[in-house]
Amino acid sequence: MGKLVLTSFVTLDGVHQAPGGPQEDTRDGFEQGGWSVPYGDDDFGRFINGVFDRAGAFLLGRRTYEIFASYWPKVTDPADPVASKLNGLPKYVASNTLDRPEWEGTTVIGGDLAKEVTAIGERTDGELQVHGSGALAQSLLALGLVDTVHLLTFPVVLGAGRRLFAEGALPTAFRHTAGSVTSTGVSIQSYDAAGRPEYGSYELPENA
């Protein structure tokens, strides 16, 4: 069974909306799209290529799927580590509105997300990867289905935009498994889900 692995780009204030371009996601009047682009470097590229090397299938939200589908099928170099995986491996889109996906290898899933995703994971060799797909990622985290999170935190504060870990997120503890910082200051940290948080107190015990 493949692990469910989420790779997400966030700002220092937790925003994950539209990292890749000005028109990627303008919901709520968001005008700061493309904030991750200036920080792309060789370190960043190596990490992303390594993530895609482990992919067995992709699970995407409709918005991210449509962004990917408009770009990656045009990248036909078989040596491109991202394009070759995205174009060649199974893709699953969680959507109740998409009915005729044109990107080869795409299956639309709806209904019981937990049941569908568990079934896909059971038949996937390699990782079942979620990239971006903020609303879907939040749903998967809330259902406790995410095994690993690669959180790439960019050194910028936007003050507005949709946040990945929003109010009401499921309390979850994580175990840190790897980390690095790129030459442009992007903090790349990997975590495995580790159940519910534990709590303690720094209060001094009362004198007996």
Side-chain angles (χ1 to χ4, degrees):
M1 176 173 174
K3 288 200 312 179
L4 183 60
V5 178
L6 167 64
T7 300
S8 186
F9 300 173
V10 297
T11 65
L12 287 175
D13 54 338
V15 174
H16 70 92
Q17 188 170 357
Q23 301 306 314
E24 195 172 77
D25 182 357
T26 57
R27 284 176 296 172
D28 308 322
F30 188 66
E31 296 180 343
Q32 301 187 75
W35 47 266
S36 77
V37 178
Y39 301 98
D41 65 358
D42 289 343
D43 296 334
F44 173 85
R46 271 192 298 272
F47 178 81
I48 294 298
N49 289 346
V51 169
F52 277 89
D53 280 344
R54 299 186 292 272
F58 299 98
L59 173 62
L60 303 169
R62 182 186 60 82
R63 187 179 296 271
T64 297
Y65 172 81
E66 290 180 343
I67 292 167
F68 280 16
S70 69
Y71 179 81
W72 289 109
K74 299 172 189 170
V75 182
T76 56
D77 179 0
D80 187 301
V82 176
S84 59
K85 295 286 188 173
L86 281 171
N87 290 321
L89 291 174
K91 293 165 284 290
Y92 300 91
V93 189
S95 175
N96 294 316
T97 56
L98 185 68
D99 54 4
R100 288 196 185 135
E102 296 180 3
W103 197 1
E104 187 177 351
T106 298
T107 302
V108 179
I109 63 170
D112 188 330
L113 185 63
K115 190 174 177 181
E116 295 257 25
V117 170
T118 300
I120 293 167
E122 287 174 350
R123 62 176 181 265
T124 297
D125 292 324
E127 295 178 353
L128 176 58
Q129 295 188 350
V130 181
H131 293 271
S133 306
L136 172 63
Q138 289 171 340
S139 296
L140 295 169
L141 288 162
L143 290 166
L145 294 174
V146 177
D147 296 302
T148 298
V149 177
H150 298 308
L151 194 67
L152 282 72
T153 304
F154 290 72
V156 60
V157 169
L158 300 180
R162 297 184 175 222
R163 286 159 172 78
L164 178 63
F165 298 107
E167 189 76 22
L170 180 70
T172 307
F174 291 89
R175 181 173 59 87
H176 185 251
T177 58
S180 63
V181 179
T182 71
S183 73
T184 59
V186 179
S187 176
I188 302 175
Q189 305 298 329
S190 299
Y191 304 93
D192 286 347
R196 297 290 164 262
E198 297 180 1
Y199 304 94
S201 173
Y202 284 115
E203 289 183 10
L204 294 173
E206 291 184 14
N207 294 329

Coordinates of all heavy atoms in Angstrom, one line a residue, residues 1-3 5 50-59 84-86 88-92 105 120-121 123-131:
M1 N 0.8 -1.2 0.0 CA 0.0 0.0 0.0 C 0.9 1.2 0.0 O 1.8 1.3 0.7 CB -0.9 0.0 1.2 CG -1.8 1.2 1.4 SD -3.0 1.1 2.7 CE -3.6 2.7 2.7
G2 N 0.5 2.2 -0.8 CA 1.3 3.4 -0.9 C 1.0 4.4 0.2 O -0.2 4.5 0.6
K3 N 2.0 5.1 0.7 CA 1.8 6.1 1.7 C 1.1 7.3 1.0 O 1.4 7.6 -0.1 CB 3.1 6.6 2.3 CG 3.8 5.6 3.2 CD 4.8 6.3 4.2 CE 5.7 7.2 3.5 NZ 6.7 7.9 4.4
V5 N 1.2 11.1 0.7 CA 2.2 12.1 1.0 C 1.7 13.5 0.5 O 1.4 13.6 -0.7 CB 3.6 11.7 0.4 CG1 4.6 12.8 0.6 CG2 4.0 10.4 0.9
G50 N 13.2 14.8 -6.3 CA 13.3 13.6 -5.4 C 11.9 13.1 -5.0 O 11.6 11.9 -4.9
V51 N 11.0 14.1 -4.7 CA 9.7 13.7 -4.3 C 9.0 13.0 -5.4 O 8.4 11.9 -5.3 CB 8.9 15.0 -3.9 CG1 7.4 14.7 -3.8 CG2 9.4 15.6 -2.6
F52 N 9.1 13.6 -6.6 CA 8.4 12.9 -7.8 C 9.0 11.6 -8.1 O 8.3 10.7 -8.6 CB 8.4 13.9 -9.0 CG 7.3 14.9 -9.0 CD1 7.5 16.1 -8.3 CD2 6.1 14.7 -9.6 CE1 6.5 17.1 -8.3 CE2 5.1 15.6 -9.5 CZ 5.3 16.8 -8.9
D53 N 10.3 11.4 -7.8 CA 10.9 10.0 -8.1 C 10.1 8.9 -7.3 O 10.2 7.8 -7.7 CB 12.3 10.0 -7.6 CG 13.2 10.7 -8.7 OD1 12.8 10.8 -9.8 OD2 14.4 11.0 -8.3
R54 N 9.5 9.3 -6.2 CA 8.9 8.3 -5.3 C 7.4 8.1 -5.6 O 6.7 7.3 -4.9 CB 9.1 8.6 -3.8 CG 10.6 8.7 -3.4 CD 10.7 8.9 -1.9 NE 10.3 10.2 -1.5 CZ 11.1 11.3 -1.5 NH1 12.3 11.2 -1.9 NH2 10.6 12.4 -1.0
A55 N 6.9 8.8 -6.6 CA 5.5 8.8 -6.9 C 5.0 7.5 -7.5 O 5.7 6.9 -8.4 CB 5.1 10.0 -7.8
G56 N 3.8 7.0 -7.1 CA 3.2 5.9 -7.7 C 1.9 6.3 -8.4 O 1.4 5.7 -9.3
A57 N 1.3 7.4 -7.8 CA 0.0 8.0 -8.4 C -0.2 9.3 -7.7 O 0.5 9.7 -6.7 CB -1.2 7.1 -8.1
F58 N -1.1 10.1 -8.3 CA -1.3 11.5 -7.8 C -2.8 11.6 -7.5 O -3.7 11.2 -8.2 CB -0.9 12.5 -8.9 CG 0.6 12.5 -9.2 CD1 1.0 11.8 -10.4 CD2 1.5 13.0 -8.4 CE1 2.3 11.7 -10.7 CE2 2.9 13.0 -8.7 CZ 3.3 12.3 -9.9
L59 N -3.0 12.3 -6.4 CA -4.4 12.7 -6.0 C -4.4 14.2 -5.9 O -3.7 14.8 -5.1 CB -4.7 12.0 -4.6 CG -6.0 12.4 -3.9 CD1 -7.2 12.0 -4.8 CD2 -6.0 11.8 -2.5
S84 N 7.5 13.5 -16.7 CA 7.3 12.1 -17.0 C 6.5 11.4 -16.0 O 5.7 10.5 -16.4 CB 8.7 11.4 -17.1 OG 9.4 11.6 -15.8
K85 N 6.5 11.7 -14.8 CA 5.7 11.1 -13.7 C 4.2 11.6 -13.9 O 3.3 10.8 -13.8 CB 6.2 11.4 -12.3 CG 7.6 10.8 -12.1 CD 7.5 9.3 -11.8 CE 8.9 8.8 -11.4 NZ 8.8 7.4 -11.0
L86 N 4.1 12.9 -14.0 CA 2.7 13.4 -14.0 C 1.9 12.9 -15.3 O 0.7 12.7 -15.2 CB 2.7 14.9 -14.0 CG 2.9 15.6 -12.6 CD1 3.1 17.1 -12.7 CD2 1.7 15.3 -11.7
G88 N 2.7 10.2 -17.0 CA 2.7 8.7 -17.2 C 2.0 7.9 -16.1 O 1.5 6.8 -16.4
L89 N 1.8 8.5 -14.9 CA 1.3 7.8 -13.8 C -0.2 8.1 -13.6 O -0.7 9.1 -14.1 CB 2.0 8.1 -12.5 CG 3.4 7.6 -12.4 CD1 4.1 8.2 -11.1 CD2 3.5 6.1 -12.4
P90 N -1.0 7.2 -12.9 CA -2.4 7.5 -12.7 C -2.6 8.7 -11.9 O -1.9 9.0 -11.0 CB -2.9 6.2 -11.9 CG -1.8 5.2 -12.2 CD -0.5 5.9 -12.4
K91 N -3.7 9.5 -12.3 CA -4.0 10.7 -11.6 C -5.5 10.6 -11.2 O -6.4 10.1 -12.0 CB -3.9 11.9 -12.6 CG -2.4 12.2 -12.9 CD -2.3 13.1 -14.1 CE -2.6 12.4 -15.5 NZ -1.5 11.4 -15.9
Y92 N -5.8 10.9 -10.0 CA -7.1 10.9 -9.4 C -7.5 12.3 -9.0 O -6.7 13.0 -8.4 CB -7.2 10.0 -8.2 CG -6.8 8.5 -8.6 CD1 -5.5 8.1 -8.4 CD2 -7.8 7.6 -9.0 CE1 -5.1 6.8 -8.8 CE2 -7.4 6.3 -9.3 CZ -6.1 5.9 -9.2 OH -5.7 4.6 -9.6
G105 N -5.0 9.2 -18.4 CA -4.7 8.6 -17.2 C -5.4 9.2 -16.0 O -5.0 8.9 -14.8
I120 N -7.6 3.6 -3.3 CA -6.6 4.0 -4.2 C -5.2 3.7 -3.6 O -4.3 3.1 -4.3 CB -6.7 5.5 -4.6 CG1 -7.9 5.7 -5.4 CG2 -5.4 5.9 -5.4 CD1 -8.3 7.2 -5.5
G121 N -5.0 4.0 -2.4 CA -3.8 3.8 -1.7 C -3.4 2.3 -1.7 O -2.2 1.9 -1.8
R123 N -4.0 0.1 -3.8 CA -3.6 -0.5 -5.1 C -2.5 0.3 -5.8 O -2.1 0.1 -6.9 CB -4.8 -0.6 -6.1 CG -5.5 0.7 -6.5 CD -6.6 0.5 -7.5 NE -7.2 1.7 -7.9 CZ -8.4 2.2 -7.4 NH1 -9.0 1.5 -6.4 NH2 -8.9 3.3 -7.8
T124 N -1.9 1.2 -5.0 CA -0.8 2.1 -5.5 C 0.6 1.6 -5.1 O 0.8 1.4 -3.9 CB -1.0 3.5 -5.1 OG1 -2.2 4.0 -5.6 CG2 0.2 4.4 -5.6
D125 N 1.5 1.3 -6.0 CA 2.9 1.0 -5.7 C 3.6 2.3 -5.7 O 3.6 3.0 -6.7 CB 3.5 0.0 -6.7 CG 2.9 -1.3 -6.6 OD1 2.5 -1.8 -5.5 OD2 2.7 -2.0 -7.7
G126 N 4.3 2.6 -4.6 CA 4.9 3.9 -4.4 C 4.0 4.8 -3.7 O 2.9 4.4 -3.2
E127 N 4.3 6.1 -3.6 CA 3.6 7.1 -2.9 C 2.3 7.5 -3.7 O 2.4 7.8 -4.9 CB 4.4 8.3 -2.5 CG 5.6 7.9 -1.6 CD 6.4 9.1 -1.3 OE1 6.2 10.2 -1.9 OE2 7.3 9.0 -0.4
L128 N 1.2 7.7 -2.9 CA 0.1 8.4 -3.5 C 0.3 9.9 -3.1 O 0.2 10.2 -1.9 CB -1.2 7.9 -2.9 CG -2.5 8.6 -3.3 CD1 -2.7 8.6 -4.8 CD2 -3.7 7.9 -2.6
Q129 N 0.6 10.7 -4.0 CA 1.0 12.1 -3.7 C 0.0 13.2 -4.0 O -0.7 13.1 -5.0 CB 2.3 12.4 -4.5 CG 3.5 11.6 -4.2 CD 4.7 12.0 -4.8 OE1 4.7 12.9 -5.7 NE2 5.9 11.5 -4.4
V130 N -0.1 14.1 -3.0 CA -1.0 15.3 -3.1 C -0.1 16.5 -3.2 O 0.8 16.7 -2.4 CB -1.9 15.4 -1.9 CG1 -2.8 16.7 -2.1 CG2 -2.8 14.2 -1.7
H131 N -0.2 17.3 -4.3 CA 0.6 18.5 -4.5 C -0.4 19.7 -4.5 O -1.4 19.7 -5.2 CB 1.4 18.4 -5.8 CG 2.4 17.4 -5.8 ND1 3.7 17.6 -5.3 CD2 2.4 16.1 -6.1 CE1 4.4 16.5 -5.4 NE2 3.7 15.6 -5.9

